[in-house]
Amino acid sequence: MAKKNKETFLNPIGINNPVTVQVLGICSALAVTAKLEPAIVMGISVTIIVAFANVIISLLRNTIPNRIRIIVQLVVVAALVTVVSEVLKAFAYDVSVQLSVYVGLIITNCILMGRLEAFAMQNGPWESFLDGVGNGLGYAKILVIVGFFRELLGSGALFGFRVIPQCVYDAGYLNNGLMLMPPMALIIVACIIWVQRSKNKDLQEK
């Protein structure tokens, strides 16, 4: 059982990442990764919401009528998203403004609904919690990688602090403005997918 729980937690972070393998949650990966800080906050928010939504649905799974299960799942997710949104507005208002409507759109995140339907409805609370945390961290990992490269190469900074020295700019270096545009996020995600698939034969199409 311990081995199964370990795989449930670790697989989404690595070999079965929801973004790079299942190709879910791509929209927010494009929208909130121009800077590293909102990418981290979005990743943490999704992790918390997936984990607790999984637990709640797992606890309720035997009492939810099959015909309204999707509605119940949406209500649970919407309630958690509302709580997270209000917490962000109270304690991290600037980041909340940067994330804009994308916090609310977590409700429709394919990773969330996929885990609730495919895992939480069939497994116990602890396993569902591990699955939620693992998938959330797998999603957050990709956002952080994309946000790191976009902000570093697009602005020459990380967390708003300049990282590339002035002498580099004096030598002729220019920030790559394309990095701050959404299509570059898609290209970076594609590169991550390529690297992951090249290293794992099981992911390569035959």
Side-chain angles (χ1 to χ4, degrees):
M1 183 62 70
K3 183 179 179 181
K4 183 179 179 181
N5 287 343
K6 184 178 179 181
E7 290 177 352
T8 298
F9 175 71
L10 293 178
N11 278 356
I13 300 176
I15 196 169
N16 194 29
N17 188 282
V19 179
T20 59
V21 177
Q22 302 170 44
V23 197
L24 301 175
I26 292 290
C27 296
S28 53
L30 305 182
V32 303
T33 54
K35 292 185 178 180
L36 189 54
E37 185 179 16
I40 292 173
V41 173
M42 177 62 93
I44 293 172
S45 299
V46 170
T47 300
I48 292 171
I49 292 169
V50 178
F52 285 98
N54 263 13
V55 171
I56 293 170
I57 293 300
S58 177
L59 289 170
L60 297 175
R61 70 187 189 280
N62 294 324
T63 62
I64 302 174
N66 189 58
R67 65 183 181 277
I68 63 167
R69 70 186 190 282
I70 301 298
I71 297 174
V72 174
Q73 291 169 13
L74 285 172
V75 169
V76 170
V77 172
L80 291 171
V81 168
T82 301
V83 171
V84 168
S85 178
E86 293 304 311
V87 169
L88 287 176
K89 288 178 182 177
F91 297 102
Y93 182 75
D94 291 342
V95 177
S96 176
V97 171
Q98 291 180 54
L99 291 175
S100 184
V101 298
Y102 296 103
V103 173
L105 289 176
I106 293 174
I107 296 170
T108 60
N109 192 307
C110 300
I111 298 172
L112 260 165
M113 300 310 297
R115 297 328 297 166
L116 294 177
E117 184 70 12
F119 197 93
M121 289 294 290
Q122 284 82 39
N123 293 276
W126 176 240
E127 293 84 0
S128 297
F129 178 76
L130 292 176
D131 178 77
V133 173
N135 277 275
L137 291 178
Y139 168 84
K141 182 180 79 170
I142 302 303
L143 260 64
V144 168
I145 293 172
V146 175
F148 173 85
F149 284 108
R150 289 185 71 191
E151 184 173 8
L152 178 63
L153 300 178
S155 304
L158 290 174
F159 296 107
F161 297 99
R162 179 180 290 182
V163 174
I164 299 177
Q166 183 60 43
C167 61
V168 177
Y169 290 103
D170 294 339
Y173 177 81
L174 294 174
N175 291 329
N176 188 345
L178 286 174
M179 278 290 174
L180 301 178
M181 300 178 68
M184 287 307 299
L186 191 60
I187 292 172
I188 295 173
V189 171
C191 290
I192 297 171
I193 293 174
W194 173 69
V195 170
Q196 183 174 11
R197 295 198 175 213
S198 65
K199 289 183 176 180
N200 296 279
K201 293 183 178 179
D202 293 340
L203 299 177
Q204 296 175 11
E205 297 181 4
K206 298 180 180 179

